[in-house]
Amino acid sequence: MTHRQFEFERIRKLFFKVNRYKIKERMVIENLSLKQDETWSPYTQGDYFGQKNTYYEVKGQFEIPTAWGDLPVAFEGFSNPAESDNSTNPQMKVYLNGEYVQALDTNHREVLLDDRFKEAGVIDFSVPIFSGREEKKFPLHFNVIAYDPATYELYYDLATIFDAWRGVEKFGGDALFYEQKLVEAVNQLDFRQPYSQEYYAGLAAAKAVLATMYEVSDATPQKVTAIGHTHIDLAWLWTVQQAIEKGERSFQTVFKLMDEYPDYTFVNSQPQQYQFMKDNYPELYAEIKKKIKEGRWEAEGAMWVEADCNLTSGESLVRQVLYGKRFLKEEFDVDSKILWLPDVFGYSAALPQILKKTNTPYFMTTKLSWNQFNQIPYDSFYWQGIDGSKVLTHFITTISEHYNPTPYYATYNGLLDPYSIKGTFDRYQQKKVHDEVMVAYGYGDGGGGPTREMLEYQKRLMKPLPDMPTITGNTANGFFERLNQKEKQLPTWYGELYFEYHRGTLTSIGKNKKYNRQIEFLLQTIEKLYSQYDFVNYPQEALERMWKVVLLNQFHDILPGSSIEEVYQQTTKEYEAIIAECQSLLQALPIAATKDRYTVYNSLGFGRESVALLPTTGTVKTVEGTTLTSQVTHDNQLLVALPEMAALDSLNLELSKASVAHFDSETVEKTFETIDFKVVLNDNYEMISLVDKANNREIIPQGEKLNELVAYEDIPMDYDAWDIDVYYQEKSWAVDAVSEVKWVEKGPIRDTMKVVRPFENSTITQWIHFNHGTKRVDFETAIDWQLDQVLLKAQMPIAVNTLEATYDIQFGNVTRNIHKNTTWDWARFESCGQKWVDLSEGNYGVSVLSDSKYGFSTDFQKIGITLIKSAIDPYPQADIGLHEFTYSIYAHEGTWKEGQTMEAALDLNVPVLVLAGELAVEQDRPFFEVDQPNILLDTVKKAEDSEHVIVRLYEYMNSQSQAVITSQKPVKKAVLCNLLEEEEQELIVEHNQIHVSFKPFEIQTVKVYF
């Protein structure tokens, strides 16, 4: 060892040389046939062919030479060995004599053959192939190989110690000791005559030297739970159907490697994926169930899919866990304990309570290690949500040697090699509290899972090595149970887990997000109607089926808008089918098809004075004979001002076909008044003054423009559909040209100004509704968008004095700083709001409401709402075409609480439902009423497992409360349940009044026995 600076390279070269002799024999398979377009033709190994997203098949024959009888034999198949992306490279399945053995991909290139195949004589093989997502031609190679066992074993012995040396050198420990042992070992090797007596003697001597490494210490101060895993995106750069096939191929490979490695355990989430296997591959599904029963396959995850947690509504998140955990329990007798979300783009502060109330005590992710600016200071901690609920959380810290954009980056597609294991423990921030890390190893996203090489490393790392973590655990649940014992020593993180990246997913592919929002509310409305009016015909099976389609499409690369075009072609079909089925269910309610009669239904959990939109014109009376105020709209429909309707109440209306006045368009003056506002416009017909008349209050700061449309150049650094980067405001263009402006409605309910603004080759049309007596201005918007990589925002300057904005989230709200005093504040330049964002000072405020937009930016005296993203990758035409949505400004006295912002936002999102005909309304009072204004009755549905009614409510003003739910029907009993509808506590019921306590932001679920 006289030249230490060269020892690393010398050892590495000798290590590579051992690798060269691992395969003792290789036999190229000749006379292959290729099936393309149902036609078979001869195929020569290495010839290029193929096109994207296409299925092929290769078949042929081989016979294992008798001389190979004592050697391990494998079937080898691969395309271009230099490519590592198995979503662009061909993915294959291997059938031998008709038996499906294993899948192959760019990371899994060989199938170890059972000894029985050595006696099988001529073996027929067929390899079905999926070409991958990239338009390219590729070659194929098929061989039969024989391993030299002694070389194979020494290679992995040497690889383990060599890679551990690299890790110790980098992350700390006695690197010199490793170097000395490696030098001693490689000096035993003799490559003069491979496979000679001297060669094998050298291998044995080197192996004996390396074995002494394990004799130094049996202490294991640093431990690793290593679990096989393959994170399969249910859609992304592939369709759902292709993801189903990826799952089948990956799981077949898991089974094959489990047969070879008895210590290999595997974790897999997403009940939807299991359902796909059950429906499409029943034999494989039976094997999954067997492995789960054996304890080698961990069925975890809790949610139906690994769902987006920003855009998904509160009730949808509940259904994700409800349906997910029910499936795992019913199919596998597993009570899922871990919310497993390695790749989701931020986590709502409502999640801890949802987990707490579904008996899901643990949460795992790693995505926040991708943060652009700030590292979360903990990896193991308790995460406390807005209501005070806590969930034990762990961020996987698996390092990625070849892709590490930040010093704290970690991956959910981990490798299992000594260097990664050493670095993963070094990266762990709670190592003083807990002596164990978790590694979920295996190729993912496009599937594949662990490899034979990873499992060879695992076998060797289960024995202690000096200064190296030792693999001592093999289940995620076991890891969390041990971590949970450190409860008192672990820190707490309060509030949301904001992801400083992928902010564009709040906006990309707006059409998809609008469908999701619309259908979430529509399904809840149908549940309420059938619970109330036709319980005996409650469509439970249909509703569950439709909910599960919605939940699937909330997967974290579908709803966020980061998938390919084919994915959204499919979701559009599915969403439109759900809407059509829901319309059929509405028509199937007990409604008498009486001519010129309509029923309006308030599906919200609070009383409201609202407006119904009838698809006709005339005059309208209640059945009692009261004439209602109405107004013909610009598109020849009828707005009807309704009397106040209680929660879940209905009202029958009678239409008279009398002639009604139509409004002719008028010129818009630069200064005008409505019932609520004095308005001043500039020469481009933008609002430069908006005075709240009742409060004599100017809403727009001096020199600003309300609803200022601004287009920004949006060319992110990395992920186009995912990201809005901090520099996007560097280049912008005002969208202020006007091609048309006129009054199209003036009436007792609203005044409507139509403004058309051309921008480049796009057109923005807005109908600006001044809704009388509401202080709400709606911007009903239709945009023909034809631009790429241009971000469109509406800027709302608001003259209030506050340094905090309140954002609506699931089951509550959060406040976020609007200043940029810290890097944490600076990073939050685009954030998610579910239905509204508010700026308020002590006695006044203004909210921005939205019916389908989620991306907001807040600065001092300004709210920006992002309308269009228009990415080009991975879907070049992502936002090209027609966009239709509405957003509003809503001025109010007091804070958003006193000003009833939530009620206004829900009124925008869930208009009064209009049904043709007369609904058979038997009761005189609404179904349920709640006596506290801060308690929102959100869900009424049939119980999953009984003929009772579930009522879900939540407190949303951060106030402890005692509430009374009054039922119109006689109540026999009421029981407080968790979110899984499991009964926990009987409630006091007096005179059909149910008494329920609420902590701040608490969700309560009540099962009502009538």
Side-chain angles (χ1 to χ4, degrees), residues 901-922:
T901 287
M902 176 66 96
E903 290 90 333
L906 283 166
D907 186 62
L908 173 68
N909 276 269
V910 191
V912 171
L913 180 68
V914 176
L915 300 169
E918 281 190 290
L919 187 63
V921 181
E922 296 179 2

PDB file of all heavy atoms in Angstrom, residues 901-922:
ATOM      1  N   THR A 901     -68.206  34.485   4.705  1.00  0.00           N
ATOM      2  CA  THR A 901     -67.501  34.145   3.465  1.00  0.00           C
ATOM      3  C   THR A 901     -67.730  32.693   3.060  1.00  0.00           C
ATOM      4  O   THR A 901     -67.923  32.390   1.873  1.00  0.00           O
ATOM      5  CB  THR A 901     -65.992  34.417   3.638  1.00  0.00           C
ATOM      6  OG1 THR A 901     -65.776  35.834   3.640  1.00  0.00           O
ATOM      7  CG2 THR A 901     -65.186  33.799   2.515  1.00  0.00           C
ATOM      8  N   MET A 902     -67.691  31.771   4.020  1.00  0.00           N
ATOM      9  CA  MET A 902     -67.890  30.365   3.678  1.00  0.00           C
ATOM     10  C   MET A 902     -69.261  30.155   3.029  1.00  0.00           C
ATOM     11  O   MET A 902     -69.385  29.444   2.018  1.00  0.00           O
ATOM     12  CB  MET A 902     -67.764  29.486   4.923  1.00  0.00           C
ATOM     13  CG  MET A 902     -68.042  28.019   4.667  1.00  0.00           C
ATOM     14  SD  MET A 902     -66.823  27.221   3.600  1.00  0.00           S
ATOM     15  CE  MET A 902     -65.774  26.506   4.858  1.00  0.00           C
ATOM     16  N   GLU A 903     -70.282  30.778   3.590  1.00  0.00           N
ATOM     17  CA  GLU A 903     -71.622  30.633   3.010  1.00  0.00           C
ATOM     18  C   GLU A 903     -71.668  31.180   1.586  1.00  0.00           C
ATOM     19  O   GLU A 903     -72.273  30.575   0.688  1.00  0.00           O
ATOM     20  CB  GLU A 903     -72.647  31.347   3.892  1.00  0.00           C
ATOM     21  CG  GLU A 903     -72.902  30.676   5.234  1.00  0.00           C
ATOM     22  CD  GLU A 903     -71.978  31.163   6.337  1.00  0.00           C
ATOM     23  OE1 GLU A 903     -70.839  31.603   6.027  1.00  0.00           O
ATOM     24  OE2 GLU A 903     -72.384  31.115   7.514  1.00  0.00           O
ATOM     25  N   ALA A 904     -71.016  32.326   1.366  1.00  0.00           N
ATOM     26  CA  ALA A 904     -71.004  32.914   0.020  1.00  0.00           C
ATOM     27  C   ALA A 904     -70.270  32.012  -0.962  1.00  0.00           C
ATOM     28  O   ALA A 904     -70.702  31.838  -2.114  1.00  0.00           O
ATOM     29  CB  ALA A 904     -70.352  34.294   0.063  1.00  0.00           C
ATOM     30  N   ALA A 905     -69.156  31.432  -0.517  1.00  0.00           N
ATOM     31  CA  ALA A 905     -68.380  30.562  -1.406  1.00  0.00           C
ATOM     32  C   ALA A 905     -69.155  29.295  -1.749  1.00  0.00           C
ATOM     33  O   ALA A 905     -69.135  28.830  -2.895  1.00  0.00           O
ATOM     34  CB  ALA A 905     -67.049  30.211  -0.749  1.00  0.00           C
ATOM     35  N   LEU A 906     -69.831  28.726  -0.767  1.00  0.00           N
ATOM     36  CA  LEU A 906     -70.623  27.528  -1.037  1.00  0.00           C
ATOM     37  C   LEU A 906     -71.821  27.851  -1.925  1.00  0.00           C
ATOM     38  O   LEU A 906     -72.212  27.044  -2.778  1.00  0.00           O
ATOM     39  CB  LEU A 906     -71.071  26.887   0.272  1.00  0.00           C
ATOM     40  CG  LEU A 906     -69.975  26.093   0.988  1.00  0.00           C
ATOM     41  CD1 LEU A 906     -70.367  25.769   2.416  1.00  0.00           C
ATOM     42  CD2 LEU A 906     -69.649  24.804   0.224  1.00  0.00           C
ATOM     43  N   ASP A 907     -72.405  29.036  -1.744  1.00  0.00           N
ATOM     44  CA  ASP A 907     -73.510  29.443  -2.617  1.00  0.00           C
ATOM     45  C   ASP A 907     -73.040  29.550  -4.067  1.00  0.00           C
ATOM     46  O   ASP A 907     -73.769  29.185  -4.995  1.00  0.00           O
ATOM     47  CB  ASP A 907     -74.081  30.776  -2.139  1.00  0.00           C
ATOM     48  CG  ASP A 907     -75.313  31.185  -2.919  1.00  0.00           C
ATOM     49  OD1 ASP A 907     -76.323  30.449  -2.882  1.00  0.00           O
ATOM     50  OD2 ASP A 907     -75.271  32.239  -3.590  1.00  0.00           O
ATOM     51  N   LEU A 908     -71.813  30.042  -4.277  1.00  0.00           N
ATOM     52  CA  LEU A 908     -71.256  30.101  -5.630  1.00  0.00           C
ATOM     53  C   LEU A 908     -71.020  28.702  -6.186  1.00  0.00           C
ATOM     54  O   LEU A 908     -71.323  28.423  -7.350  1.00  0.00           O
ATOM     55  CB  LEU A 908     -69.934  30.887  -5.608  1.00  0.00           C
ATOM     56  CG  LEU A 908     -69.139  30.891  -6.921  1.00  0.00           C
ATOM     57  CD1 LEU A 908     -69.874  31.671  -8.000  1.00  0.00           C
ATOM     58  CD2 LEU A 908     -67.738  31.457  -6.700  1.00  0.00           C
ATOM     59  N   ASN A 909     -70.470  27.822  -5.362  1.00  0.00           N
ATOM     60  CA  ASN A 909     -70.095  26.490  -5.828  1.00  0.00           C
ATOM     61  C   ASN A 909     -71.274  25.538  -5.978  1.00  0.00           C
ATOM     62  O   ASN A 909     -71.251  24.648  -6.829  1.00  0.00           O
ATOM     63  CB  ASN A 909     -69.077  25.878  -4.857  1.00  0.00           C
ATOM     64  CG  ASN A 909     -67.665  26.313  -5.135  1.00  0.00           C
ATOM     65  OD1 ASN A 909     -66.936  25.682  -5.883  1.00  0.00           O
ATOM     66  ND2 ASN A 909     -67.266  27.436  -4.534  1.00  0.00           N
ATOM     67  N   VAL A 910     -72.287  25.718  -5.125  1.00  0.00           N
ATOM     68  CA  VAL A 910     -73.414  24.778  -5.118  1.00  0.00           C
ATOM     69  C   VAL A 910     -74.703  25.583  -5.254  1.00  0.00           C
ATOM     70  O   VAL A 910     -75.386  25.848  -4.264  1.00  0.00           O
ATOM     71  CB  VAL A 910     -73.425  23.935  -3.820  1.00  0.00           C
ATOM     72  CG1 VAL A 910     -74.434  22.791  -3.944  1.00  0.00           C
ATOM     73  CG2 VAL A 910     -72.040  23.390  -3.511  1.00  0.00           C
ATOM     74  N   PRO A 911     -75.043  25.982  -6.455  1.00  0.00           N
ATOM     75  CA  PRO A 911     -76.296  26.723  -6.640  1.00  0.00           C
ATOM     76  C   PRO A 911     -77.479  25.865  -6.210  1.00  0.00           C
ATOM     77  O   PRO A 911     -77.399  24.633  -6.147  1.00  0.00           O
ATOM     78  CB  PRO A 911     -76.326  26.991  -8.147  1.00  0.00           C
ATOM     79  CG  PRO A 911     -74.934  26.772  -8.632  1.00  0.00           C
ATOM     80  CD  PRO A 911     -74.322  25.773  -7.727  1.00  0.00           C
ATOM     81  N   VAL A 912     -78.576  26.517  -5.916  1.00  0.00           N
ATOM     82  CA  VAL A 912     -79.797  25.788  -5.609  1.00  0.00           C
ATOM     83  C   VAL A 912     -80.114  24.849  -6.778  1.00  0.00           C
ATOM     84  O   VAL A 912     -80.060  25.242  -7.939  1.00  0.00           O
ATOM     85  CB  VAL A 912     -80.953  26.781  -5.376  1.00  0.00           C
ATOM     86  CG1 VAL A 912     -82.290  26.052  -5.267  1.00  0.00           C
ATOM     87  CG2 VAL A 912     -80.701  27.597  -4.124  1.00  0.00           C
ATOM     88  N   LEU A 913     -80.410  23.599  -6.460  1.00  0.00           N
ATOM     89  CA  LEU A 913     -80.678  22.592  -7.493  1.00  0.00           C
ATOM     90  C   LEU A 913     -82.095  22.756  -8.014  1.00  0.00           C
ATOM     91  O   LEU A 913     -83.055  22.884  -7.230  1.00  0.00           O
ATOM     92  CB  LEU A 913     -80.502  21.192  -6.910  1.00  0.00           C
ATOM     93  CG  LEU A 913     -80.736  20.015  -7.861  1.00  0.00           C
ATOM     94  CD1 LEU A 913     -79.647  19.960  -8.927  1.00  0.00           C
ATOM     95  CD2 LEU A 913     -80.799  18.702  -7.078  1.00  0.00           C
ATOM     96  N   VAL A 914     -82.236  22.757  -9.325  1.00  0.00           N
ATOM     97  CA  VAL A 914     -83.550  22.888  -9.958  1.00  0.00           C
ATOM     98  C   VAL A 914     -83.925  21.552 -10.586  1.00  0.00           C
ATOM     99  O   VAL A 914     -83.183  21.011 -11.408  1.00  0.00           O
ATOM    100  CB  VAL A 914     -83.544  24.005 -11.024  1.00  0.00           C
ATOM    101  CG1 VAL A 914     -84.894  24.067 -11.738  1.00  0.00           C
ATOM    102  CG2 VAL A 914     -83.210  25.345 -10.385  1.00  0.00           C
ATOM    103  N   LEU A 915     -85.084  21.019 -10.168  1.00  0.00           N
ATOM    104  CA  LEU A 915     -85.588  19.756 -10.713  1.00  0.00           C
ATOM    105  C   LEU A 915     -86.904  20.027 -11.426  1.00  0.00           C
ATOM    106  O   LEU A 915     -87.789  20.722 -10.892  1.00  0.00           O
ATOM    107  CB  LEU A 915     -85.818  18.740  -9.589  1.00  0.00           C
ATOM    108  CG  LEU A 915     -84.600  18.368  -8.751  1.00  0.00           C
ATOM    109  CD1 LEU A 915     -85.015  17.567  -7.524  1.00  0.00           C
ATOM    110  CD2 LEU A 915     -83.605  17.563  -9.587  1.00  0.00           C
ATOM    111  N   ALA A 916     -87.053  19.491 -12.621  1.00  0.00           N
ATOM    112  CA  ALA A 916     -88.309  19.648 -13.352  1.00  0.00           C
ATOM    113  C   ALA A 916     -89.363  18.751 -12.717  1.00  0.00           C
ATOM    114  O   ALA A 916     -89.126  17.556 -12.497  1.00  0.00           O
ATOM    115  CB  ALA A 916     -88.108  19.289 -14.821  1.00  0.00           C
ATOM    116  N   GLY A 917     -90.528  19.316 -12.419  1.00  0.00           N
ATOM    117  CA  GLY A 917     -91.596  18.549 -11.784  1.00  0.00           C
ATOM    118  C   GLY A 917     -91.682  18.842 -10.305  1.00  0.00           C
ATOM    119  O   GLY A 917     -90.946  19.664  -9.755  1.00  0.00           O
ATOM    120  N   GLU A 918     -92.613  18.132  -9.654  1.00  0.00           N
ATOM    121  CA  GLU A 918     -92.861  18.352  -8.235  1.00  0.00           C
ATOM    122  C   GLU A 918     -92.323  17.185  -7.426  1.00  0.00           C
ATOM    123  O   GLU A 918     -92.735  16.041  -7.624  1.00  0.00           O
ATOM    124  CB  GLU A 918     -94.359  18.506  -7.968  1.00  0.00           C
ATOM    125  CG  GLU A 918     -94.906  19.872  -8.315  1.00  0.00           C
ATOM    126  CD  GLU A 918     -96.330  20.052  -7.816  1.00  0.00           C
ATOM    127  OE1 GLU A 918     -97.226  19.408  -8.380  1.00  0.00           O
ATOM    128  OE2 GLU A 918     -96.523  20.820  -6.856  1.00  0.00           O
ATOM    129  N   LEU A 919     -91.368  17.472  -6.571  1.00  0.00           N
ATOM    130  CA  LEU A 919     -90.847  16.469  -5.655  1.00  0.00           C
ATOM    131  C   LEU A 919     -91.890  16.206  -4.573  1.00  0.00           C
ATOM    132  O   LEU A 919     -92.512  17.141  -4.066  1.00  0.00           O
ATOM    133  CB  LEU A 919     -89.537  16.962  -5.039  1.00  0.00           C
ATOM    134  CG  LEU A 919     -88.741  15.996  -4.175  1.00  0.00           C
ATOM    135  CD1 LEU A 919     -88.263  14.795  -4.964  1.00  0.00           C
ATOM    136  CD2 LEU A 919     -87.534  16.712  -3.570  1.00  0.00           C
ATOM    137  N   ALA A 920     -92.071  14.935  -4.237  1.00  0.00           N
ATOM    138  CA  ALA A 920     -93.048  14.575  -3.205  1.00  0.00           C
ATOM    139  C   ALA A 920     -92.520  14.988  -1.838  1.00  0.00           C
ATOM    140  O   ALA A 920     -91.805  14.242  -1.167  1.00  0.00           O
ATOM    141  CB  ALA A 920     -93.325  13.079  -3.245  1.00  0.00           C
ATOM    142  N   VAL A 921     -92.827  16.191  -1.443  1.00  0.00           N
ATOM    143  CA  VAL A 921     -92.332  16.753  -0.188  1.00  0.00           C
ATOM    144  C   VAL A 921     -93.388  16.528   0.886  1.00  0.00           C
ATOM    145  O   VAL A 921     -94.447  17.152   0.870  1.00  0.00           O
ATOM    146  CB  VAL A 921     -92.029  18.255  -0.338  1.00  0.00           C
ATOM    147  CG1 VAL A 921     -91.490  18.820   0.968  1.00  0.00           C
ATOM    148  CG2 VAL A 921     -91.054  18.472  -1.474  1.00  0.00           C
ATOM    149  N   GLU A 922     -93.106  15.617   1.818  1.00  0.00           N
ATOM    150  CA  GLU A 922     -94.096  15.295   2.842  1.00  0.00           C
ATOM    151  C   GLU A 922     -93.898  16.125   4.104  1.00  0.00           C
ATOM    152  O   GLU A 922     -94.852  16.456   4.800  1.00  0.00           O
ATOM    153  CB  GLU A 922     -94.019  13.808   3.190  1.00  0.00           C
ATOM    154  CG  GLU A 922     -94.380  12.906   2.013  1.00  0.00           C
ATOM    155  CD  GLU A 922     -94.281  11.447   2.370  1.00  0.00           C
ATOM    156  OE1 GLU A 922     -93.972  11.151   3.547  1.00  0.00           O
ATOM    157  OE2 GLU A 922     -94.481  10.607   1.485  1.00  0.00           O
TER     158      GLU A 922
END
